[in-house]
Amino acid sequence: MQNGDQEVPSQPRHSDKAAGAYTLAEQIGYLLRQANQRHVAIFTSRMNEKLTTTQWAALVKLRDLQPCSQVNLGRETAMDVATIKGVVDRLAKRNLVRTAPDTTDARRLVLTLTEEGEAAVARNLPVANDISEETLSTLSSAERAMLAELLRKIS
Amino acid sequence: MQNGDQEVPSQPRHSDKAAGAYTLAEQIGYLLRQANQRHVAIFTSRMNEKLTTTQWAALVKLRDLQPCSQVNLGRETAMDVATIKGVVDRLAKRNLVRTAPDTTDARRLVLTLTEEGEAAVARNLPVANDISEETLSTLSSAERAMLAELLRKIS
DNA sequence: CTGAAATCATTTGTACACAAAACAAAGAAA
DNA sequence: TTTCTTTGTTTTGTGTACAAATGATTTCAG
């Protein structure tokens, strides 16, 4: 089978940058996953009381929004309904979040921070700042701002 | 309870940038999670045959490394041993990856792509390029390079 | 007012992600 | 060779993450 028409570029139905050069380590998805992994690792090792990144996000956001429905908290923290439910359930079990039916709208579940929840947020805010700081420690001030802007642009 | 000593800055045991201004949406962890979410959403909607980002990473990397042990593939794709096992198991069940005991080292599990696996990679490479392209579509060429470099720097 | 559409919550099922522990096999040091 | 250490794999348990379906409630249009 002699091949003679292999290199003829037909109309590109796909973006073929350099045709065939697909390096996993250069793909944006891989880079995002890696960077996120490192951040989570830093977070996990630094955050004292076994709070996950998502749990922390929910607590911090709830502090600003409370009282707040579960779905709304999910929206504000970029979590799926099923995900936010799991997160809230675990936080409620640990007595950091209080849940109560809404007296006005029977569909809603009203969330508030407990005393303990408020305290946990207050106590860990400096830690959270340190975590962000360490994650970005290899970047200059300008680079940090640039990274934040670029991430926002693609979100 | 009158408060009079609230604003006195004691020695900062933590990095307090503007003391108390912690905005979730500005934190690097949140931005990374958001950007990754959007990329995964694009990937999921575009990739035809129900391949996940991780499964795709494993397939592509295995193509270059095969034959290759399971743990090694995990290392090369930044996956935990438990994670890579799950991914490989699912790919093997779908006949995209073949597993066999290593004749030299009885500990190792040797992985190779099946014919079907090779075909799946070849068939979807253009799609994968499109996915990366769409993820970065709001950025200029220079911005893409900058983002990649910054992500690498913090990884 | 009533039926359709939208919203909120829950459940189910699949798939990462990682810590920790257990075990077998290989390699190195004594 | 025998012991110690390292390496590869598997298993268990917890916690995101999301699609899809279900049911209850509210809102809105007619």
Side-chain angles (χ1 to χ4, degrees):
Chain A
M1 41 177 124
Q2 67 278 53
N3 56 341
D5 51 357
Q6 218 71 319
E7 286 89 21
V8 175
S10 56
Q11 72 281 21
R13 292 178 302 126
H14 296 282
S15 67
D16 50 2
K17 46 176 310 191
Y22 185 87
T23 312
L24 182 62
E26 288 170 5
Q27 303 307 308
I28 182 62
Y30 190 73
L31 293 170
L32 285 171
R33 187 161 70 88
Q34 284 259 85
N36 195 52
Q37 273 178 9
R38 175 152 176 282
H39 171 259
V40 171
I42 291 171
F43 189 100
T44 305
S45 70
R46 286 255 197 161
M47 186 58 74
N48 321 25
E49 25 208 313
K50 270 194 206 170
L51 286 173
T52 65
T53 54
T54 10
Q55 287 169 1
W56 175 249
L59 287 177
V60 166
K61 203 70 190 176
L62 183 54
R63 190 188 55 153
D64 292 345
L65 269 65
Q66 67 182 330
C68 165
S69 84
Q70 187 173 269
V71 160
N72 192 44
L73 183 59
R75 257 195 297 269
E76 296 289 327
T77 51
M79 291 183 217
D80 188 74
V81 282
T83 302
I84 189 66
K85 171 163 177 44
V87 173
V88 165
D89 282 356
R90 282 181 284 274
L91 290 175
K93 194 181 303 177
R94 289 171 61 177
N95 251 299
L96 298 174
V97 165
R98 188 179 10 254
T99 71
D102 189 327
T103 52
T104 322
D105 188 336
R107 292 169 304 178
R108 289 206 177 99
L109 195 64
V110 178
L111 309 180
T112 45
L113 287 180
T114 62
E115 294 278 324
E116 215 181 321
E118 297 269 12
V121 172
R123 190 168 52 239
N124 288 301
L125 269 178
V127 184
N129 270 321
D130 283 358
I131 289 167
S132 292
E133 164 54 35
E134 182 176 345
T135 302
L136 297 172
S137 60
T138 52
L139 302 187
S140 72
S141 226
E143 285 174 326
R144 296 175 189 203
M146 177 66 79
L147 177 57
E149 190 201 330
L150 293 175
L151 288 175
R152 237 187 296 269
K153 264 193 177 178
I154 67 170
S155 291
Chain B
M1 37 177 124
Q2 68 279 51
N3 55 342
D5 51 356
Q6 219 71 319
E7 287 90 19
V8 175
S10 55
Q11 72 280 22
R13 291 178 302 127
H14 297 282
S15 67
D16 50 3
K17 48 177 311 191
Y22 185 87
T23 312
L24 183 61
E26 289 171 3
Q27 303 306 309
I28 183 62
Y30 190 72
L31 293 170
L32 285 171
R33 186 162 70 89
Q34 285 259 85
N36 195 54
Q37 273 178 8
R38 174 150 178 285
H39 171 259
V40 171
I42 292 170
F43 189 101
T44 305
S45 70
R46 287 256 196 160
M47 186 57 75
N48 321 26
E49 26 207 314
K50 270 194 204 168
L51 286 174
T52 65
T53 55
T54 11
Q55 287 169 3
W56 175 250
L59 288 178
V60 166
K61 203 70 191 177
L62 183 55
R63 189 187 57 152
D64 292 346
L65 269 64
Q66 68 182 330
C68 165
S69 83
Q70 186 173 270
V71 160
N72 192 45
L73 182 59
R75 259 195 295 271
E76 295 289 327
T77 51
M79 291 183 217
D80 188 75
V81 282
T83 302
I84 189 67
K85 172 166 178 40
V87 172
V88 166
D89 281 356
R90 282 182 285 273
L91 291 175
K93 195 182 300 178
R94 290 171 61 177
N95 250 300
L96 299 174
V97 165
R98 187 179 13 252
T99 69
D102 189 325
T103 52
T104 323
D105 187 335
R107 293 169 303 180
R108 287 206 178 102
L109 196 63
V110 177
L111 309 181
T112 45
L113 288 180
T114 62
E115 293 278 322
E116 215 181 321
E118 298 269 13
V121 171
R123 190 168 52 242
N124 288 302
L125 270 177
V127 184
N129 270 320
D130 284 358
I131 290 168
S132 292
E133 163 56 34
E134 182 176 345
T135 303
L136 296 172
S137 60
T138 52
L139 301 187
S140 71
S141 224
E143 285 173 326
R144 296 174 189 203
M146 177 66 79
L147 177 57
E149 189 200 330
L150 293 174
L151 288 175
R152 238 187 296 270
K153 263 194 178 178
I154 68 171
S155 292

